[in-house]
Amino acid sequence: MTKLAYFEGRIVPIAEANVSIRCNTLHYGTGCFGGLRAYWNEEHKQLYAFRLLDHYRRFLDSARLLLCKFEFTPEQLRDITLELLHREGWREDVYIRPLAYKDDGIFRLWLHDAADKVAIFTQPYGKYISADAGAKVCVSSWRRVDDTAIPARGKVNGAYVNSALIKSEAMLNGFDEAIVLNQDGHVSEGSAANFMMVRNGTVITSPVTSNILEGITRRSLITLLREELGLTVIEREIDRSELYLADEAFLCGTGVQIAAIASIDHRVLGQGGTGPVTQQLRDLYFRVLRGEVAKYMDWLSPVLSTENALQVLAAKSSP
Ligand code: PMP
């Protein structure tokens, strides 16, 4: 299988998709990126990419924050991604990474008047948290980047130093992951995932004004929780001490998918595993991602054409 990438306006072998050490973004973190997934359905012989347009809208919003000048539409980026996935021929779950970066070859610091470029590549990717049936979580000693410094609602490369500090501290201290508070002491999110907790049957999640990334998974799960599980979801500020009193809690995001939290700062939540709401939600979410729930098929873009899928099916059934 040839590994490919979208680079400098063309799909090329990935070995040719390289930037110079003089690339601005390499020095100053002045780029932005996305993280998407596509899921393979063995029965349908189909690869389904999840909410491509929503991801690319957010990607272009992040690029706007950074004064990027390129002219892509979400639809164009979706089509490039589908073409790339199609040409690479994935028959398994795959992660998709679009990246916008500034590359003048003279490592200028400023955002405006720079050569803005977009690259996209794909690769298999497992779980962001391996203990996703019950992660041991702490509250980070770091604080989330504030909107007055680096906007967390944009997926800005440089801001991920904050995420990396949070993640490494947690892991080196024997935890799987951390929850980070924002500057005023309210819960923001995980190092690279949004946070939700269940208390007395109600789902609570931090609002978009708590310096969170406006997660596509978070938004999708709010819909599923309300529409399919019939639960009330409240977006409001969460205090640190409320975390300890949750009946269940989980992290959600493209990388993490849905990772149940077993304990926070050594306080065990519920039975210390995957709570019933988390379990029900996860089961439903994975069925949606694999194209098994008709109502949510418009969240998915099939990568293989129907014709192609039929050929695969025919080939499978022939002796
Ligand atoms: N917060 C941060 C900081 C993230 O990096 C991610 C992963 N993209 C998320 C939340 C979850 O966002 P999404 O559901 O769109 O992947």
Side-chain angles (χ1 to χ4, degrees):
M1 182 174 148
T2 327
K3 274 297 300 140
L4 303 170
Y6 176 76
F7 182 73
E8 307 253 348
R10 292 184 307 128
I11 291 179
V12 298
I14 193 132
E16 292 172 23
N18 299 312
V19 294
S20 157
I21 54 165
R22 294 176 298 178
C23 170
N24 316 31
T25 300
L26 189 59
H27 293 259
Y28 307 118
T30 48
C32 61
F33 63 103
L36 302 77
R37 279 192 193 254
Y39 290 86
W40 175 248
N41 182 316
E42 179 60 30
E43 207 185 329
H44 298 190
K45 296 282 178 231
Q46 183 59 272
L47 187 66
Y48 291 111
F50 186 62
R51 300 194 80 160
L52 287 183
L53 285 178
D54 292 305
H55 273 281
Y56 281 122
R57 282 188 198 111
R58 186 181 67 193
F59 177 70
L60 292 175
D61 283 350
S62 299
R64 246 176 100 188
L65 295 174
L66 299 177
L67 297 173
C68 294
K69 287 185 310 296
F70 41 67
E71 297 284 312
F72 289 104
T73 62
E75 288 77 11
Q76 285 170 329
L77 293 169
R78 173 199 59 196
D79 292 347
I80 293 167
T81 303
L82 290 174
E83 174 72 16
L84 183 62
L85 289 168
H86 185 73
R87 284 181 43 186
E88 290 194 290
W90 291 110
R91 298 285 185 277
E92 61 183 292
D93 297 351
V94 63
Y95 185 84
I96 305 149
R97 169 55 54 87
L99 177 66
Y101 59 100
K102 296 178 186 288
D103 189 10
D104 291 320
I106 42 175
F107 56 89
R108 290 194 297 202
L109 173 61
W110 54 84
L111 298 172
H112 67 284
D113 193 20
D116 295 303
K117 300 185 178 168
V118 171
I120 308 175
F121 64 95
T122 71
Q123 63 183 47
Y125 178 62
K127 297 170 175 178
Y128 179 67
I129 299 177
S130 46
D132 72 354
K136 261 179 73 185
V137 168
C138 61
V139 172
S140 182
S141 73
W142 295 96
R143 293 288 169 108
R144 189 83 182 110
V145 283
D146 191 77
D147 195 58
T148 55
I150 305 178
R153 70 166 39 76
K155 222 168 149 49
V156 176
N157 291 39
Y160 277 77
V161 172
N162 183 233
S163 296
L165 289 167
I166 295 162
K167 183 73 175 174
S168 279
E169 180 195 53
M171 292 178 78
L172 292 173
N173 286 340
F175 294 93
D176 299 304
E177 172 63 11
I179 291 167
V180 62
L181 307 179
N182 58 21
Q183 296 298 319
D184 68 13
H186 290 110
V187 170
S188 179
E189 56 182 343
S191 61
N194 292 125
F195 172 79
M196 292 197 188
M197 59 180 262
V198 185
R199 193 170 176 206
N200 301 326
T202 298
V203 182
I204 307 166
T205 188
S206 310
V208 293
T209 46
S210 282
N211 291 311
I212 67 168
L213 181 74
E214 298 177 2
I216 313 288
T217 314
R218 174 183 177 278
R219 205 190 315 158
S220 308
L221 296 185
I222 290 175
T223 302
L224 296 177
L225 284 160
R226 287 183 178 148
E227 305 283 319
E228 308 306 321
L229 272 55
L231 292 171
T232 302
V233 182
I234 304 174
E235 297 177 61
R236 66 152 173 84
E237 286 180 337
I238 300 171
D239 288 338
R240 176 177 186 162
S241 61
E242 285 188 279
L243 295 174
Y244 304 153
L245 305 182
D247 301 318
E248 48 185 298
F250 58 89
L251 292 155
C252 60
T254 302
V256 87
Q257 304 176 114
I258 297 178
I261 297 176
S263 65
I264 304 179
D265 287 345
H266 308 285
R267 278 85 170 174
V268 174
L269 307 188
Q271 303 303 312
T274 305
V277 172
T278 311
Q279 188 63 57
Q280 226 188 324
L281 183 65
R282 184 153 52 188
D283 292 346
L284 172 62
Y285 183 56
F286 275 99
R287 288 181 49 233
V288 168
L289 293 172
R290 294 204 193 277
E292 291 166 6
V293 184
K295 184 172 169 189
Y296 295 101
M297 286 304 278
D298 61 350
W299 283 355
L300 306 179
S301 303
V303 172
L304 305 175
S305 64
T306 317
E307 199 184 334
N308 202 326
L310 289 177
Q311 279 166 7
V312 178
L313 269 179
K316 200 181 158 220
S317 55
S318 62

